[in-house]
Coordinates of all heavy atoms in Angstrom, one line a residue:
M289 N -138.8 68.8 -102.6 CA -138.9 68.6 -101.2 C -138.1 69.7 -100.5 O -137.0 70.1 -100.9 CB -138.3 67.3 -100.8 CG -138.5 67.0 -99.3 SD -137.5 65.6 -98.7 CE -135.9 66.3 -98.6
R290 N -138.8 70.3 -99.6 CA -138.2 71.4 -98.8 C -137.9 71.1 -97.4 O -138.8 70.5 -96.7 CB -139.0 72.7 -99.0 CG -139.1 73.2 -100.4 CD -139.9 74.4 -100.6 NE -139.8 74.8 -102.0 CZ -139.6 76.0 -102.4 NH1 -139.5 77.0 -101.6 NH2 -139.5 76.3 -103.7
I291 N -136.8 71.5 -96.9 CA -136.5 71.4 -95.5 C -136.3 72.8 -94.9 O -135.6 73.6 -95.4 CB -135.2 70.5 -95.3 CG1 -135.4 69.1 -95.8 CG2 -134.8 70.5 -93.8 CD1 -134.2 68.3 -95.7
Y292 N -137.1 73.0 -93.8 CA -137.0 74.3 -93.1 C -136.4 74.1 -91.7 O -136.3 73.0 -91.2 CB -138.5 74.8 -92.9 CG -139.1 75.2 -94.2 CD1 -139.8 74.2 -95.0 CD2 -139.0 76.4 -94.8 CE1 -140.4 74.5 -96.2 CE2 -139.6 76.8 -96.0 CZ -140.3 75.8 -96.7 OH -140.9 76.1 -97.9
R293 N -136.0 75.2 -91.2 CA -135.3 75.3 -89.9 C -136.3 74.9 -88.8 O -136.0 74.3 -87.8 CB -134.7 76.7 -89.6 CG -133.8 76.7 -88.4 CD -133.2 78.1 -88.2 NE -134.2 79.2 -88.4 CZ -134.0 80.2 -89.2 NH1 -133.0 80.3 -90.0 NH2 -135.0 81.1 -89.3
D294 N -137.6 75.2 -89.0 CA -138.6 74.9 -87.9 C -139.9 74.4 -88.6 O -140.1 74.4 -89.8 CB -138.9 76.1 -87.1 CG -139.4 77.3 -87.9 OD1 -140.3 77.1 -88.6 OD2 -138.8 78.4 -87.7
K295 N -140.8 73.9 -87.7 CA -142.0 73.3 -88.2 C -143.0 74.3 -88.8 O -144.0 73.8 -89.4 CB -142.7 72.5 -87.0 CG -141.9 71.4 -86.5 CD -142.6 70.6 -85.4 CE -141.8 69.4 -85.0 NZ -142.4 68.7 -83.9
N296 N -142.9 75.6 -88.6 CA -143.8 76.6 -89.2 C -143.4 76.9 -90.7 O -143.9 77.8 -91.2 CB -143.7 77.8 -88.4 CG -144.3 77.6 -87.0 OD1 -145.2 76.8 -86.8 ND2 -143.8 78.3 -86.0
R297 N -142.4 76.1 -91.2 CA -142.0 76.3 -92.6 C -141.3 77.7 -92.8 O -141.6 78.3 -93.8 CB -143.1 76.0 -93.6 CG -143.6 74.5 -93.5 CD -144.7 74.2 -94.5 NE -144.3 74.3 -95.9 CZ -143.7 73.4 -96.6 NH1 -143.3 72.3 -96.0 NH2 -143.4 73.5 -97.8
T298 N -140.6 78.1 -91.8 CA -139.8 79.3 -92.0 C -138.3 78.9 -91.9 O -137.9 77.9 -91.3 CB -140.1 80.4 -90.9 OG1 -139.8 79.8 -89.6 CG2 -141.5 80.8 -91.0
G299 N -137.4 79.7 -92.5 CA -136.0 79.4 -92.5 C -135.6 78.3 -93.4 O -135.2 77.2 -93.0
L300 N -135.9 78.5 -94.7 CA -135.6 77.5 -95.7 C -134.1 77.1 -95.7 O -133.2 78.0 -95.7 CB -135.9 78.0 -97.1 CG -135.7 77.1 -98.3 CD1 -136.7 75.9 -98.2 CD2 -135.9 77.8 -99.6
T301 N -133.8 75.8 -95.6 CA -132.4 75.4 -95.5 C -132.0 74.5 -96.7 O -130.9 74.4 -97.0 CB -132.1 74.6 -94.2 OG1 -133.0 73.5 -94.1 CG2 -132.3 75.5 -93.0
Q302 N -133.0 73.8 -97.3 CA -132.7 72.9 -98.4 C -133.9 72.6 -99.3 O -135.0 72.5 -98.8 CB -132.2 71.5 -97.8 CG -131.7 70.5 -98.8 CD -131.3 69.2 -98.2 OE1 -130.6 69.2 -97.1 NE2 -131.6 68.1 -98.7
V303 N -133.6 72.6 -100.6 CA -134.6 72.3 -101.6 C -134.0 71.2 -102.5 O -132.9 71.3 -103.0 CB -135.0 73.5 -102.5 CG1 -136.1 73.0 -103.5 CG2 -135.6 74.6 -101.6
T304 N -134.7 70.1 -102.6 CA -134.3 68.9 -103.4 C -135.3 68.7 -104.5 O -136.5 68.6 -104.2 CB -134.2 67.7 -102.5 OG1 -133.2 67.9 -101.4 CG2 -133.7 66.5 -103.3
C305 N -134.9 68.5 -105.7 CA -135.8 68.1 -106.8 C -136.4 66.7 -106.5 O -135.6 65.8 -106.4 CB -135.1 68.2 -108.1 SG -136.1 67.6 -109.5
N306 N -137.7 66.6 -106.5 CA -138.3 65.3 -106.2 C -138.1 64.3 -107.4 O -138.1 63.1 -107.1 CB -139.8 65.5 -105.9 CG -140.0 66.0 -104.6 OD1 -139.9 67.2 -104.4 ND2 -140.5 65.2 -103.6
R307 N -137.8 64.8 -108.6 CA -137.7 63.9 -109.7 C -136.3 63.4 -109.8 O -136.1 62.2 -109.9 CB -138.1 64.6 -111.0 CG -138.1 63.7 -112.2 CD -138.7 64.5 -113.4 NE -138.7 63.6 -114.6 CZ -137.8 63.7 -115.6 NH1 -136.9 64.6 -115.5 NH2 -137.9 62.9 -116.6
C308 N -135.3 64.2 -109.8 CA -133.9 63.8 -110.1 C -133.1 63.7 -108.8 O -132.0 63.1 -108.8 CB -133.2 64.6 -111.1 SG -132.8 66.3 -110.5
G309 N -133.5 64.3 -107.7 CA -132.8 64.2 -106.4 C -131.7 65.2 -106.2 O -131.0 65.2 -105.2
R310 N -131.5 66.1 -107.2 CA -130.5 67.2 -107.1 C -130.9 68.2 -106.1 O -132.0 68.6 -106.0 CB -130.3 67.8 -108.5 CG -129.1 68.8 -108.5 CD -128.8 69.3 -109.9 NE -129.9 70.2 -110.4 CZ -130.0 71.5 -110.1 NH1 -129.1 72.1 -109.3 NH2 -130.9 72.2 -110.7
Q311 N -129.9 68.6 -105.3 CA -130.1 69.7 -104.3 C -130.0 71.0 -105.1 O -129.0 71.3 -105.8 CB -129.1 69.7 -103.2 CG -129.5 68.6 -102.2 CD -128.7 68.7 -100.9 OE1 -128.2 69.8 -100.6 NE2 -128.6 67.7 -100.1
L312 N -131.0 71.9 -104.9 CA -130.9 73.2 -105.6 C -130.2 74.2 -104.7 O -130.1 74.0 -103.5 CB -132.4 73.7 -105.8 CG -133.0 73.1 -107.1 CD1 -133.3 71.6 -106.9 CD2 -134.3 73.8 -107.3
K313 N -129.7 75.3 -105.3 CA -128.9 76.2 -104.5 C -129.7 77.1 -103.6 O -130.7 77.8 -104.1 CB -128.1 77.1 -105.5 CG -127.1 78.0 -104.9 CD -126.4 78.8 -106.0 CE -125.3 79.7 -105.4 NZ -124.6 80.5 -106.4
V314 N -129.5 77.0 -102.3 CA -130.1 77.8 -101.3 C -129.1 78.6 -100.5 O -128.1 78.0 -100.1 CB -131.0 77.0 -100.3 CG1 -131.6 77.8 -99.2 CG2 -132.1 76.2 -101.1
E315 N -129.2 79.9 -100.5 CA -128.3 80.8 -99.7 C -129.0 81.6 -98.7 O -129.9 82.4 -99.2 CB -127.4 81.7 -100.7 CG -126.4 80.9 -101.5 CD -125.6 81.8 -102.4 OE1 -126.0 83.0 -102.5 OE2 -124.7 81.3 -103.1
K316 N -128.7 81.5 -97.5 CA -129.3 82.4 -96.4 C -130.8 82.3 -96.5 O -131.5 83.3 -96.4 CB -128.8 83.8 -96.5 CG -127.3 83.9 -96.3 CD -126.8 85.3 -96.4 CE -125.3 85.4 -96.2 NZ -124.8 86.7 -96.4
G317 N -131.3 81.1 -96.7 CA -132.8 80.9 -96.7 C -133.5 81.3 -98.0 O -134.7 81.3 -98.0
V318 N -132.7 81.7 -99.0 CA -133.3 82.1 -100.3 C -132.9 81.1 -101.4 O -131.8 80.8 -101.6 CB -132.9 83.5 -100.7 CG1 -133.4 83.9 -102.0 CG2 -133.2 84.5 -99.6
L319 N -133.9 80.6 -102.1 CA -133.7 79.7 -103.2 C -133.1 80.5 -104.4 O -133.7 81.5 -104.8 CB -135.0 79.0 -103.7 CG -135.0 78.1 -104.8 CD1 -134.0 76.9 -104.6 CD2 -136.4 77.6 -105.1
K320 N -132.0 80.1 -104.9 CA -131.2 80.9 -105.9 C -131.2 80.3 -107.3 O -130.3 80.6 -108.1 CB -129.8 81.1 -105.4 CG -129.6 81.9 -104.1 CD -129.8 83.3 -104.4 CE -129.3 84.1 -103.2 NZ -129.3 85.5 -103.5
E321 N -132.2 79.5 -107.6 CA -132.3 79.0 -109.0 C -133.8 78.7 -109.3 O -134.6 78.6 -108.4 CB -131.4 77.8 -109.3 CG -131.7 76.6 -108.5 CD -130.8 75.4 -108.9 OE1 -131.0 74.9 -109.9 OE2 -129.9 75.1 -108.1
G322 N -134.1 78.5 -110.6 CA -135.4 78.2 -111.0 C -136.0 76.9 -110.4 O -135.2 75.9 -110.3
C323 N -137.2 77.0 -110.0 CA -137.8 75.8 -109.3 C -139.3 75.9 -109.5 O -139.9 76.9 -109.5 CB -137.5 75.9 -107.8 SG -138.2 74.6 -106.9
F324 N -139.9 74.7 -109.8 CA -141.4 74.6 -109.8 C -141.8 73.9 -108.5 O -141.3 72.9 -108.2 CB -141.8 73.7 -111.0 CG -143.3 73.4 -111.0 CD1 -144.2 74.3 -111.5 CD2 -143.7 72.2 -110.5 CE1 -145.5 74.1 -111.5 CE2 -145.1 71.9 -110.5 CZ -146.0 72.8 -111.0
S325 N -142.7 74.6 -107.8 CA -143.2 74.1 -106.5 C -144.7 73.8 -106.7 O -145.5 74.7 -107.1 CB -143.0 75.1 -105.4 OG -141.6 75.3 -105.2
A326 N -145.1 72.6 -106.3 CA -146.5 72.2 -106.3 C -146.9 72.0 -104.8 O -146.1 71.5 -104.0 CB -146.7 71.0 -107.1
D327 N -148.1 72.5 -104.5 CA -148.7 72.3 -103.2 C -150.2 72.2 -103.4 O -150.9 73.2 -103.7 CB -148.3 73.5 -102.3 CG -148.9 73.3 -100.9 OD1 -149.7 72.4 -100.6 OD2 -148.5 74.1 -100.0
T328 N -150.8 71.0 -103.3 CA -152.2 70.8 -103.6 C -152.8 69.9 -102.6 O -152.2 69.0 -102.1 CB -152.4 70.3 -105.1 OG1 -153.8 70.4 -105.4 CG2 -151.9 68.9 -105.3
V329 N -154.1 70.1 -102.4 CA -154.9 69.2 -101.5 C -156.0 68.7 -102.4 O -156.7 69.4 -103.0 CB -155.5 70.0 -100.3 CG1 -156.4 69.0 -99.5 CG2 -154.4 70.6 -99.5
F330 N -156.0 67.3 -102.4 CA -157.0 66.6 -103.2 C -158.4 66.6 -102.5 O -158.4 66.3 -101.3 CB -156.6 65.2 -103.6 CG -155.5 65.2 -104.6 CD1 -154.1 65.2 -104.1 CD2 -155.7 65.2 -105.9 CE1 -153.1 65.2 -105.0 CE2 -154.7 65.2 -106.8 CZ -153.4 65.2 -106.4
G331 N -159.4 66.9 -103.2 CA -160.7 67.1 -102.5 C -161.6 65.8 -102.5 O -161.1 64.7 -102.8
Y332 N -162.8 66.0 -102.2 CA -163.8 64.9 -102.1 C -163.9 64.0 -103.3 O -164.1 62.8 -103.2 CB -165.1 65.4 -101.7 CG -165.2 66.0 -100.3 CD1 -165.5 67.4 -100.2 CD2 -164.8 65.3 -99.2 CE1 -165.6 68.0 -98.9 CE2 -164.9 65.9 -97.9 CZ -165.2 67.2 -97.8 OH -165.3 67.8 -96.6
F333 N -163.8 64.6 -104.5 CA -164.1 63.9 -105.7 C -162.9 63.3 -106.3 O -162.9 62.8 -107.5 CB -164.8 64.8 -106.7 CG -166.1 65.4 -106.1 CD1 -166.1 66.7 -105.8 CD2 -167.2 64.6 -105.9 CE1 -167.3 67.3 -105.2 CE2 -168.3 65.1 -105.4 CZ -168.4 66.4 -105.0
S334 N -161.8 63.2 -105.6 CA -160.6 62.5 -106.1 C -160.4 61.2 -105.4 O -161.1 60.9 -104.4 CB -159.4 63.4 -105.8 OG -159.1 63.3 -104.4
G335 N -159.5 60.4 -105.8 CA -159.1 59.2 -105.1 C -158.2 59.4 -104.0 O -157.8 58.4 -103.3
K336 N -157.8 60.6 -103.7 CA -156.9 60.9 -102.6 C -157.5 61.8 -101.6 O -156.8 62.7 -101.0 CB -155.6 61.6 -103.2 CG -154.9 60.8 -104.2 CD -153.7 61.6 -104.8 CE -153.0 60.9 -105.9 NZ -153.9 60.6 -107.1
D337 N -158.8 61.7 -101.4 CA -159.6 62.5 -100.5 C -158.9 63.1 -99.3 O -158.5 62.4 -98.4 CB -160.8 61.7 -100.1 CG -161.8 62.5 -99.4 OD1 -161.8 63.7 -99.4 OD2 -162.8 61.8 -98.8
G338 N -158.7 64.4 -99.3 CA -158.1 65.1 -98.2 C -156.6 65.0 -98.1 O -156.0 65.4 -97.1
T339 N -155.9 64.4 -99.1 CA -154.4 64.2 -99.0 C -153.7 65.4 -99.6 O -154.1 65.9 -100.7 CB -154.0 63.0 -99.7 OG1 -154.7 61.9 -99.2 CG2 -152.5 62.8 -99.7
R340 N -152.7 66.0 -98.9 CA -151.9 67.1 -99.5 C -150.7 66.5 -100.1 O -150.0 65.7 -99.5 CB -151.6 68.0 -98.3 CG -150.8 69.2 -98.8 CD -150.5 70.2 -97.7 NE -150.4 71.5 -98.2 CZ -150.8 72.6 -97.5 NH1 -151.1 72.5 -96.2 NH2 -150.7 73.8 -98.0
H341 N -150.3 67.0 -101.3 CA -149.1 66.7 -102.0 C -148.3 68.0 -102.2 O -148.8 69.0 -102.6 CB -149.3 66.1 -103.3 CG -149.7 64.6 -103.3 ND1 -149.8 63.9 -104.4 CD2 -150.1 63.8 -102.3 CE1 -150.2 62.6 -104.1 NE2 -150.4 62.6 -102.8
R342 N -147.0 67.9 -101.8 CA -146.1 69.0 -102.0 C -144.8 68.4 -102.7 O -144.4 67.4 -102.3 CB -145.6 69.6 -100.7 CG -146.6 70.5 -100.0 CD -146.0 71.0 -98.8 NE -146.9 72.0 -98.1 CZ -147.0 72.0 -96.8 NH1 -146.3 71.3 -96.0 NH2 -147.8 72.9 -96.2
F343 N -144.4 69.1 -103.7 CA -143.1 68.7 -104.3 C -142.5 69.8 -105.1 O -143.1 70.8 -105.4 CB -143.3 67.4 -105.2 CG -144.1 67.6 -106.5 CD1 -143.5 68.1 -107.7 CD2 -145.5 67.4 -106.4 CE1 -144.3 68.3 -108.8 CE2 -146.3 67.6 -107.6 CZ -145.7 68.0 -108.7
D344 N -141.2 69.7 -105.4 CA -140.4 70.7 -106.1 C -139.7 70.0 -107.2 O -139.2 68.9 -107.1 CB -139.4 71.3 -105.2 CG -140.0 72.1 -104.1 OD1 -140.5 73.3 -104.3 OD2 -140.1 71.6 -102.9
L345 N -139.6 70.7 -108.4 CA -138.8 70.2 -109.5 C -137.8 71.3 -109.9 O -138.1 72.5 -110.0 CB -139.8 70.0 -110.7 CG -140.8 68.9 -110.5 CD1 -141.7 68.8 -111.8 CD2 -140.2 67.5 -110.3
C346 N -136.6 70.8 -110.2 CA -135.6 71.7 -110.8 C -136.0 72.1 -112.2 O -137.0 71.5 -112.8 CB -134.2 71.1 -110.8 SG -134.0 69.8 -112.0
E347 N -135.4 73.1 -112.7 CA -135.9 73.7 -114.0 C -135.8 72.6 -115.1 O -136.7 72.6 -116.0 CB -135.1 74.9 -114.4 CG -135.9 75.8 -115.4 CD -135.3 77.2 -115.5 OE1 -134.5 77.6 -114.7 OE2 -135.8 77.9 -116.4
S348 N -134.7 71.8 -115.2 CA -134.6 70.8 -116.3 C -135.7 69.7 -116.1 O -136.2 69.3 -117.1 CB -133.2 70.3 -116.4 OG -132.9 69.5 -115.2
C349 N -136.0 69.3 -114.9 CA -137.1 68.3 -114.7 C -138.4 68.9 -115.1 O -139.3 68.2 -115.6 CB -137.0 67.8 -113.3 SG -135.7 66.6 -113.0
Y350 N -138.6 70.2 -114.8 CA -139.8 70.9 -115.1 C -140.0 70.9 -116.7 O -141.0 70.6 -117.2 CB -139.8 72.3 -114.6 CG -141.0 73.1 -115.0 CD1 -142.3 72.9 -114.3 CD2 -141.0 74.1 -115.9 CE1 -143.4 73.7 -114.7 CE2 -142.1 74.8 -116.3 CZ -143.3 74.6 -115.7 OH -144.4 75.4 -116.0
D351 N -138.9 71.2 -117.4 CA -138.9 71.2 -118.8 C -139.2 69.8 -119.4 O -140.0 69.7 -120.4 CB -137.6 71.7 -119.4 CG -137.4 73.2 -119.1 OD1 -138.4 73.9 -118.8 OD2 -136.2 73.7 -119.2
A352 N -138.7 68.8 -118.8 CA -138.9 67.4 -119.2 C -140.4 67.1 -119.0 O -141.0 66.4 -119.8 CB -138.0 66.4 -118.4
L353 N -141.0 67.5 -117.9 CA -142.4 67.3 -117.6 C -143.3 68.0 -118.7 O -144.2 67.4 -119.3 CB -142.8 67.8 -116.2 CG -144.3 67.7 -115.9 CD1 -144.7 66.3 -115.7 CD2 -144.5 68.5 -114.6
L354 N -142.9 69.2 -119.0 CA -143.7 70.0 -120.0 C -143.6 69.4 -121.4 O -144.5 69.5 -122.2 CB -143.3 71.4 -120.0 CG -144.1 72.4 -119.1 CD1 -144.2 72.0 -117.7 CD2 -143.6 73.8 -119.2
A355 N -142.5 68.8 -121.7 CA -142.3 68.1 -123.0 C -143.3 67.0 -123.2 O -143.5 66.6 -124.3 CB -140.8 67.7 -123.1
E356 N -143.8 66.4 -122.1 CA -144.8 65.3 -122.2 C -146.2 65.8 -122.4 O -147.1 65.0 -122.6 CB -144.7 64.4 -121.0 CG -143.3 63.8 -120.8 CD -143.2 63.0 -119.5 OE1 -144.2 63.0 -118.8 OE2 -142.2 62.4 -119.3
F357 N -146.4 67.1 -122.2 CA -147.8 67.7 -122.3 C -148.3 67.7 -123.8 O -147.6 68.0 -124.7 CB -147.8 69.2 -121.8 CG -147.8 69.4 -120.4 CD1 -147.4 68.3 -119.5 CD2 -148.0 70.6 -119.8 CE1 -147.4 68.5 -118.1 CE2 -148.0 70.8 -118.4 CZ -147.6 69.8 -117.6
R358 N -149.5 67.3 -123.9 CA -150.2 67.4 -125.3 C -150.7 68.8 -125.6 O -150.7 69.2 -126.7 CB -151.3 66.4 -125.4 CG -150.9 65.0 -125.4 CD -152.1 64.1 -125.6 NE -151.6 62.7 -125.6 CZ -152.2 61.7 -126.2 NH1 -153.4 61.9 -126.8 NH2 -151.7 60.5 -126.2
V359 N -151.0 69.5 -124.5 CA -151.4 70.9 -124.6 C -150.4 71.7 -123.9 O -150.1 71.5 -122.7 CB -152.8 71.1 -124.0 CG1 -153.3 72.5 -124.1 CG2 -153.9 70.2 -124.6
P360 N -149.8 72.7 -124.6 CA -148.7 73.5 -124.0 C -149.3 74.3 -122.9 O -150.4 74.7 -122.8 CB -148.2 74.3 -125.2 CG -149.3 74.3 -126.2 CD -150.1 73.1 -126.0
V361 N -148.3 74.7 -122.0 CA -148.7 75.6 -120.9 C -149.1 77.0 -121.4 O -148.6 77.4 -122.5 CB -147.6 75.8 -119.8 CG1 -147.2 74.4 -119.2 CG2 -146.4 76.4 -120.4
E362 N -149.9 77.7 -120.6 CA -150.1 79.1 -121.0 C -148.9 79.9 -120.5 O -148.4 79.7 -119.4 CB -151.4 79.6 -120.3 CG -152.6 78.9 -120.8 CD -153.9 79.5 -120.0 OE1 -153.9 80.7 -119.7 OE2 -154.8 78.7 -119.8
E363 N -148.4 80.7 -121.3 CA -147.2 81.5 -121.0 C -147.4 83.0 -121.2 O -148.0 83.4 -122.2 CB -146.0 81.0 -121.9 CG -144.7 81.6 -121.5 CD -143.6 80.9 -122.4 OE1 -143.4 79.7 -122.2 OE2 -142.9 81.6 -123.1
S364 N -146.9 83.8 -120.3 CA -147.0 85.2 -120.4 C -145.8 85.9 -119.7 O -145.1 85.2 -118.9 CB -148.3 85.7 -119.8 OG -148.4 85.4 -118.4
E365 N -145.6 87.1 -120.0 CA -144.5 87.8 -119.3 C -145.0 88.5 -118.0 O -146.0 89.1 -118.0 CB -144.0 88.9 -120.3 CG -143.3 88.4 -121.5 CD -142.0 87.8 -121.3 OE1 -141.2 88.3 -120.4 OE2 -141.6 86.8 -122.0
E366 N -144.2 88.3 -117.0 CA -144.5 89.0 -115.7 C -143.4 90.0 -115.4 O -142.2 89.8 -115.6 CB -144.4 87.9 -114.5 CG -145.5 86.8 -114.7 CD -146.9 87.3 -114.4 OE1 -147.1 88.3 -113.6 OE2 -147.8 86.8 -115.1
R367 N -143.8 91.2 -114.9 CA -142.9 92.3 -114.7 C -142.4 92.2 -113.3 O -141.3 92.7 -113.0 CB -143.6 93.6 -115.0 CG -143.9 93.8 -116.4 CD -144.4 95.2 -116.7 NE -144.7 95.3 -118.1 CZ -143.9 95.7 -119.1 NH1 -142.7 96.0 -118.7 NH2 -144.3 95.8 -120.3
E368 N -143.1 91.7 -112.3 CA -142.7 91.6 -110.9 C -142.3 90.2 -110.6 O -143.1 89.3 -110.6 CB -143.8 92.1 -110.0 CG -144.1 93.6 -110.2 CD -145.0 94.1 -109.1 OE1 -145.1 93.5 -108.0 OE2 -145.7 95.1 -109.4
L369 N -141.0 90.0 -110.4 CA -140.5 88.7 -110.1 C -140.2 88.6 -108.6 O -139.8 89.5 -107.9 CB -139.2 88.4 -110.9 CG -139.4 88.5 -112.4 CD1 -138.1 88.3 -113.1 CD2 -140.4 87.5 -112.9
C370 N -140.3 87.3 -108.1 CA -140.0 87.1 -106.7 C -138.7 86.3 -106.6 O -138.2 85.8 -107.5 CB -141.1 86.5 -105.9 SG -141.7 85.0 -106.7
Ligands
ZN640 ZN1 -134.6 67.6 -111.2

C-alpha cells in the first residue's frame, strides 16, 4: 500500500507491505529497498469485473509468495535499473 502527498499519486511518503504490514524505507519520495508492486484491473471475464487491485510486497514476502509457485518465475538480467 502506498501513501502519496496528493491525490495524483505524486510525492511518495509511505510504502507498507500488504502481507506483513512492515513499512518499507522511503527517503525524500524514493523507495529505498526492494519491493514488488502490483496494479491490475480485472476485466469482463473475471469475477471482479472492472475492479482495480493495487498492492505492494516487501522482498521477503515476495520470496515467500514465489516459494508457493509450482512453475518458477521467468528470470533474466536487466542492465538498466530504476
Ligand atoms: Zn512483507
Side-chain angles (χ1 to χ4, degrees):
M289 181 192 80
R290 292 179 179 229
I291 296 176
Y292 293 89
R293 192 176 47 234
D294 58 52
K295 291 181 179 179
N296 295 325
R297 298 179 65 80
T298 59
L300 182 66
T301 59
Q302 184 179 318
V303 180
T304 303
C305 174
N306 285 76
R307 184 170 180 260
C308 71
R310 184 174 70 80
Q311 283 192 22
L312 282 64
K313 187 175 182 182
V314 175
E315 289 179 355
K316 298 179 182 176
V318 178
L319 180 59
K320 294 284 192 170
E321 61 179 288
C323 177
F324 172 81
S325 294
D327 183 350
T328 191
V329 177
F330 289 92
Y332 293 120
F333 302 107
S334 74
K336 300 174 186 62
D337 191 9
T339 302
R340 181 178 212 150
H341 282 190
R342 287 179 174 142
F343 64 89
D344 295 281
L345 296 177
C346 71
E347 199 164 354
S348 65
C349 286
Y350 178 77
D351 290 343
L353 175 69
L354 265 55
E356 297 175 357
F357 285 12
R358 288 185 181 205
V359 179
V361 298
E362 293 181 34
E363 187 173 297
S364 61
E365 293 288 325
E366 297 291 328
R367 293 189 182 268
E368 294 187 24
L369 302 176
C370 52

